Amino acid sequence: MPRFYCPTPLVSTALLDLPEGAARHVQVLRLQPGDAITLFNGVPDAQGCYGECAARVTHMGRSSVQVQVGEWTATARESQHAVHLAVGMPANERMDWLVEKAAELGVVSIQPLMTERSVLRLSGERASKKQVHWQSVAVAACEQCGGNRIPHIHAVMNLPQWLKTVPEPMPGAKDVQILKLLLSLRAGAQSLTTHVHDLSGESAVPASTHIVFLSGSEGGLSEAEETAATATGFLPTTLGPRVLRAETAALVALAKLL
């Protein structure tokens, strides 16, 4: 059944004019009055559960689509862990691909970074337009994969600026814990499994833990950047003996974590 992101309140039995993007998508698919669709708005309920609504097309105009909203259903398709990806932006179309796949895997947020070795450099209006574009890529990925939580794409930042904003781990805190992992090729980096699993292979990280994963751009982070990251609590982490491309490494880590 076609799924559409509808960033408005979804009230059961209400008649709703779809926003422009969703309406255009419905028309492209040539849906007709009576056809069933699914709507989601990326907003959790009072218990923090994400979900979606059944709906049915009631009217097709030249540039508008009206639907009747059905019952809201909590749908658990999200990971038990909230994983936030901070990544040195790869060049060309690879960042689009990374955002799409990260959204499919269920990442909570993506922080695009400029690092010493970054090929892609963005600032001002161009950076703002890219942020909006990547957010739309994430929305489309969630429409396709069934995710009801839309990853938030943060504004582009440079690495030193961003490191100052990352919260410190909170040992002993009863609520949210923070685990900060840094993809690294340096000697002594521990495997991702070591950081997140116990000897039985089960998750050793509480479900309330937020995992912040930092990955470099082409060529990885410089030695100085890694030192700065570890000084703020990031744990050097390896994915194994192979050297993966920037966008591949980030997605492999997400797949293992999620």
Side-chain angles (χ1 to χ4, degrees):
M1 185 181 300
R3 302 179 76 249
F4 304 97
Y5 174 57
C6 186
T8 58
L10 299 174
V11 181
S12 181
T13 73
L15 291 175
L16 175 67
D17 290 323
L18 293 182
E20 181 180 354
R24 184 166 58 249
H25 194 179
V26 168
Q27 290 172 328
V28 167
L29 293 176
R30 298 187 177 183
L31 300 181
Q32 299 298 319
D35 286 343
I37 62 174
T38 300
L39 301 176
F40 67 104
N41 62 9
V43 178
D45 64 11
Q47 287 71 46
C49 298
Y50 290 84
E52 58 198 21
C53 285
R56 194 168 297 277
V57 177
T58 58
H59 174 74
M60 297 285 292
R62 293 188 62 182
S63 59
S64 63
V65 176
Q66 187 182 71
V67 302
Q68 183 166 40
V69 181
E71 183 179 356
W72 187 91
T73 304
T75 310
R77 299 192 185 108
E78 313 305 332
S79 169
Q80 66 171 330
H81 292 122
V83 179
H84 308 265
L85 174 64
V87 59
M89 299 175 292
N92 303 320
E93 304 302 318
R94 292 174 186 159
M95 185 63 180
D96 285 20
W97 185 80
L98 191 158
V99 169
E100 178 183 73
K101 302 310 174 188
E104 290 179 23
L105 288 169
V107 73
V108 172
S109 70
I110 299 174
Q111 174 62 65
L113 294 173
M114 288 189 293
T115 65
E116 289 183 20
R117 296 170 178 163
S118 292
V119 175
L120 183 59
R121 299 281 174 176
L122 298 172
S123 62
E125 184 179 358
R126 185 165 173 245
S128 297
K129 287 182 177 180
K130 277 292 188 181
Q131 180 188 8
V132 171
H133 168 70
W134 289 327
Q135 190 67 69
S136 69
V137 170
V139 167
C142 289
E143 288 180 331
Q144 180 273 323
C145 74
N148 289 316
R149 180 179 63 194
I150 307 294
H152 178 66
I153 312 300
H154 294 284
V156 176
M157 299 177 73
N158 62 52
L159 179 61
Q161 179 187 18
W162 176 74
L163 286 175
K164 295 177 182 178
T165 72
V166 185
E168 293 296 322
M170 297 176 288
K174 294 182 179 180
D175 297 318
V176 175
Q177 303 284 315
I178 299 174
L179 176 63
K180 301 194 287 189
L181 303 177
L182 161 68
L183 183 62
S184 175
L185 295 175
R186 66 167 55 181
Q190 292 188 307
S191 71
L192 187 59
T193 302
T194 300
H195 287 308
V196 300
H197 292 95
D198 60 25
L199 294 177
S200 69
E202 298 297 323
S203 176
V205 178
S208 60
T209 299
H210 282 234
I211 301 175
V212 183
F213 190 84
L214 171 59
S215 182
S217 60
E218 296 91 339
L221 299 180
S222 69
E223 183 175 349
E225 287 175 324
E226 288 204 19
T227 298
T230 56
T232 63
F234 278 87
L235 304 175
T237 305
T238 177
L239 299 177
R242 288 178 179 259
V243 179
L244 305 177
R245 298 184 72 105
E247 67 275 19
T248 307
L251 294 176
V252 168
L254 289 179
K256 288 178 176 289
L257 289 171
L258 295 168

